[in-house]
Amino acid sequence: MCSRNHPGKITPVAARWTFLALLFAAVAAPALAADDTAALYQKHCASCHGVDRLGGMGPALLPENLGRLRKGEASKVIAEGRAATQMEGFAKHLDAAQIDALQAYIYTPPAVSPRWDEADIKASHIVHADAKQLPHRPSFKADPMNLFIVVESGDHHVSILDGDTLEPIHRFQSRFALHGGPKFSPDGRFVYFASRDGWVTKYDIWNLTPVAEVRAGINTRNAAVSGDGNYVAIANYLPHSLVILDSDLKPVRVLPVTDKDGKHSSRVSAVYDAAPRQSFVAALKDVNEVWEISYDPKHPDIAVGWVHDFQYKEGAFIPGFLNPQRTKTEGYLDDFFFTQDYNDLMGASREGGRGQVINLDARKKVAELQLPGMPHLGSGITWAWQGKTVMATPNLNEGLVSIIDTGNWQLIKSIPTLGPGFFMRSHEKSRYAWTDSMMHREHRDTLQVIDKETLEIVARLRPEPGKTLAHVEFTRDGRYVLASLWERKAAGGALIVFDAATLKEVKRIPMDKPVGKYNLHNKITRSEGTSH
C-alpha cells in the first residue's frame, strides 16, 4: 500500500503487512492445487473482498465478521446478491456445489489469524509534513469555506473544487477505496479520509498537501472528527475495535468492542460526532447496544456495575473520558439519524421494517418508528414544515421517501419514488429536497425533486439515460446543486451542475467516477440539508 501511494517510502508496518499477505498466500497455495474453491474465490470474490479475505470495497469474509449471516443465508447471498449493496448474484456463473463450497470457504478461519493492535497502529504512523511549519492561510484565492471535496473512485483520486467558480483547484491521489465521506476540522483547514483497508489520511486543504497517515484497522467503516478538532474516531469491522486518535493521527485509545459482559464482540457499523454533547456515538453491528464516548476530559465517571452511593463513588466506576457509556437497544442498530440538538437518535437495522428512537440522556428507547422497507437514516435530512421540524429519509429497498414528525415521531407521509434510493439532500435556502433511485436498475439514472411544502415530487431529472446519477450536494449559498454521474471519465463521468431554483443544467465538470462530493461549509455548520 505505502509503496504504491508514496513511491520509495516503505514503512516497517508496510513491510510487515506485505509479509503477512505473502504468508496467507503461501498457506493457501497448496489448496489451490488440490481444491478449486480457492481459485473460485480469487476469480469472483477477491477484487471486492481482498485476496486474503480481509476486505476491500466489500467487507472482510472471515468467520468473526459473519456473525449475523447464517451459512444458509450466505449461499443465498452468493447466488442472488444482496439488496442495498453492490454485491451481485453469481448464480449464472456458479453451480450449487460451487456456491456451497465458497460458503464453506469463507466460514473457515485462515491459517494465520489477522490482528491489528495499538502497537501495529503506532508502527504504521507516517508524517508527511509538520503542519505547524506550513503557512496558516490558504495558498489559493478561492473561498476556503465554499470548497467541495470530490472523491473519485475511478482512479482513486480526490479533487478540490471551488464552489464559486465551479472549477477544480487541485487533484491528488488517495488511498484505495475511500469510504464513509471525508470529515473536516472545525476551522476547515484539514480533511480526514478513511479507506476500506484501514488507512486514515490527514490532508491540509490550505496548503494542498498530506500531513500524516496511519493504519487504524484492517477493514474500516468510517471516521469522525470531534467538535473541538482534537480527536478522530475510527469504526472498524476488523478487528472489532473503536480507535481514538489525536488530531495528528497518533493512537490515544483502542477500545475492544464487546457487550457489557465481554462475551460477544462486535463490528462497528459507524461512528459519528455529536459535537453539542462533546462525544462520539457508535453504531454496533453485532451487539444490541449504542455506545457514547465522551471526549470531554471533565466528564463524570461512568458506573459499570452495582453502585451503593453515587455521591461517594461507592461501587464500580470507570473514567468518563474516552470510555463507552452503553445504551441497551431492542435489536441491532446499523444506521443512525440525529436530531439537530443530538439528544435523540433515530436508529434502524438493515433487516428493516421498523426503527426506534433512543434518548441519549435517558439512555433508553422513547419511541418506536413505523418505517417500511429499509430506511437509510444516515442520509436523512430535516426542514421546517407547518410549524414543526420534519425528517425525511430515503429507502434502500423500496421506492419511497418517509417523512417523520420529530416532535411526536409519527409518520406524516410516504412519498412514492421510482425506486430504492441511497442519498437525499437539501439546503436551508432551497424549497426543494433531492433524492435518487440509484438502487433501482431501471431508474438509477433519475433524480427526483420534492417540494418541501407540498411534500410532492415536482420534477424528475434524467440527463443521461442508463447511467447512474446520485449523491447531490448544494453550494454554500444554496444556488447550485451538484450531482454525480457515476461513470469513468472516459465514459462521461462528471459532476452535473443544476440551478437549484430552475432545475436546469448549468454545466458539467469531468470527473473519474465521482462517488461523492462534500461542501466544506455545509458539513462544518451541520446544515439541516445534509447528513452529518
Side-chain angles (χ1 to χ4, degrees):
M1 284 299 303
C2 206
S3 59
R4 179 180 66 81
N5 284 327
H6 306 286
K9 197 164 192 175
I10 305 294
T11 65
V13 72
R16 180 175 181 272
W17 195 250
T18 301
F19 171 77
L20 184 58
L22 292 173
L23 184 58
F24 270 107
V27 171
L32 287 173
D35 185 358
D36 289 338
T37 306
L40 286 174
Y41 175 86
Q42 295 302 321
K43 180 179 180 180
H44 298 289
C45 314
S47 62
C48 285
H49 298 281
V51 295
D52 43 21
R53 294 192 283 151
L54 296 181
M57 287 293 289
L61 295 180
L62 299 171
E64 57 263 52
N65 259 36
L66 298 170
R68 284 174 60 186
L69 185 67
R70 295 189 298 273
K71 288 188 177 182
E73 286 296 313
S75 285
K76 184 178 180 181
V77 170
I78 296 170
E80 302 176 9
R82 193 167 198 181
T85 74
Q86 297 182 45
M87 173 68 187
E88 61 175 300
F90 287 88
K92 293 181 180 180
H93 308 286
L94 304 171
D95 60 32
Q98 290 172 319
I99 289 173
D100 287 343
L102 276 173
Q103 175 187 253
Y105 182 71
I106 65 176
Y107 280 91
T108 301
V112 179
S113 181
R115 67 177 180 85
W116 202 255
D117 56 24
E118 186 170 353
D120 296 310
I121 297 171
K122 286 181 178 179
S124 73
H125 190 252
I126 304 169
V127 176
H128 296 290
D130 183 352
K132 294 180 181 178
Q133 300 302 316
L134 295 172
H136 289 254
R137 62 185 181 278
S139 61
F140 44 81
K141 294 182 180 179
D143 178 359
M145 292 299 287
N146 192 27
L147 301 175
F148 287 86
I149 302 298
V150 186
V151 176
E152 300 178 68
S153 69
D155 59 355
H156 307 291
H157 275 70
V158 172
S159 286
I160 299 177
L161 185 72
D162 184 335
D164 291 312
T165 65
L166 298 175
E167 294 291 337
I169 294 173
H170 185 61
R171 190 172 191 264
F172 58 94
Q173 187 174 8
S174 72
R175 289 282 178 175
F176 175 76
L178 299 185
H179 179 69
K183 300 300 188 295
F184 300 96
S185 62
D187 60 2
R189 175 175 174 178
F190 300 105
V191 59
Y192 296 83
F193 302 97
S195 70
R196 284 283 199 178
D197 56 1
W199 281 97
V200 182
T201 301
K202 179 181 181 180
Y203 188 88
D204 187 334
I205 300 173
W206 291 359
N207 291 287
L208 305 176
T209 185
V211 174
E213 291 184 291
V214 72
R215 191 171 194 182
I218 296 172
N219 189 210
T220 293
R221 294 300 295 173
N222 79 317
V225 176
S226 63
D228 58 13
N230 292 332
Y231 301 99
V232 182
I234 309 299
N236 284 326
Y237 261 20
L238 188 69
H240 295 179
S241 65
L242 185 67
V243 177
I244 310 295
L245 310 169
D246 67 15
S247 60
D248 295 320
L249 302 187
K250 296 176 182 177
V252 177
R253 193 78 193 276
V254 177
L255 295 168
V257 180
T258 67
D259 63 6
K260 186 177 180 180
D261 299 323
K263 294 180 179 179
H264 303 286
S265 67
S266 177
R267 296 165 287 175
V268 185
S269 296
V271 62
Y272 307 91
D273 175 52
R277 302 178 63 85
Q278 293 183 274
S279 66
F280 295 115
V281 179
L284 307 189
K285 188 81 173 174
D286 309 299
V287 169
N288 296 330
E289 294 177 358
V290 169
W291 280 19
E292 183 172 17
I293 302 96
S294 175
Y295 49 78
D296 177 4
K298 299 180 180 180
H299 191 279
D301 289 348
I302 300 168
V304 294
W306 290 106
V307 176
H308 177 66
D309 191 309
F310 278 91
Q311 181 179 359
Y312 294 102
K313 295 287 182 66
E314 294 179 356
F317 290 85
I318 59 174
F321 177 59
L322 298 185
N323 272 314
Q325 286 187 287
R326 304 167 186 264
T327 298
K328 188 72 174 175
T329 61
E330 296 178 4
Y332 307 109
L333 298 185
D334 296 319
D335 201 13
F336 286 170
F337 175 86
F338 292 94
T339 52
Q340 287 293 101
D341 60 10
Y342 283 81
N343 289 332
D344 295 288
L345 65 84
M346 303 165 67
S349 165
R350 281 299 176 104
E351 276 70 39
R354 71 185 185 94
Q356 54 189 293
V357 181
I358 304 293
N359 182 272
L360 291 174
D361 290 325
R363 305 208 173 276
K364 66 178 182 180
K365 186 180 85 170
V366 294
E368 190 157 303
L369 300 169
Q370 297 303 319
L371 292 172
M374 191 185 299
H376 188 207
L377 295 174
S379 190
I381 60 174
T382 62
W383 66 81
W385 180 79
Q386 296 187 5
K388 60 187 72 175
T389 298
V390 299
M391 177 267 192
T393 175
N395 202 290
L396 294 170
N397 69 356
E398 291 193 20
L400 58 87
V401 167
S402 299
I403 310 294
I404 303 292
D405 183 339
T406 61
N408 59 19
W409 309 112
Q410 297 300 304
L411 178 67
I412 293 175
K413 186 174 183 179
S414 292
I415 304 173
T417 63
L418 292 175
F422 202 87
F423 300 105
M424 195 164 187
R425 291 289 188 272
S426 187
H427 190 278
E428 288 84 348
K429 295 182 180 179
S430 174
R431 64 179 289 182
Y432 300 123
W434 298 55
T435 190
D436 59 64
S437 291
M438 66 167 292
M439 311 303 292
H440 193 281
R441 291 188 178 184
E442 182 181 350
H443 299 298
R444 59 191 173 90
D445 56 6
T446 304
L447 292 175
Q448 289 128 115
V449 182
I450 299 170
D451 187 305
K452 294 193 295 188
E453 281 300 316
T454 65
L455 305 184
E456 299 286 346
I457 292 177
V458 294
R460 290 188 172 93
L461 307 178
R462 191 175 180 236
E464 287 290 337
K467 295 183 178 181
T468 301
L469 187 63
H471 196 275
V472 161
E473 184 77 299
F474 281 73
T475 52
R476 174 180 178 172
D477 58 9
R479 182 179 178 184
Y480 296 109
V481 176
L482 282 64
S484 291
L485 194 60
W486 283 26
E487 303 288 338
R488 294 300 305 267
K489 191 173 184 178
L495 297 182
I496 301 181
V497 182
F498 297 94
D499 185 295
T502 67
L503 311 183
K504 301 296 184 182
E505 182 176 332
V506 175
K507 68 180 296 185
R508 296 194 183 192
I509 308 165
M511 295 280 174
D512 201 336
K513 198 173 183 183
V515 293
K517 90 274 329 140
Y518 309 87
N519 182 270
L520 191 149
H521 176 269
N522 293 345
K523 287 293 185 181
I524 288 177
T525 59
R526 293 178 171 81
S527 165
E528 67 179 25
T530 189
S531 58
H532 304 164

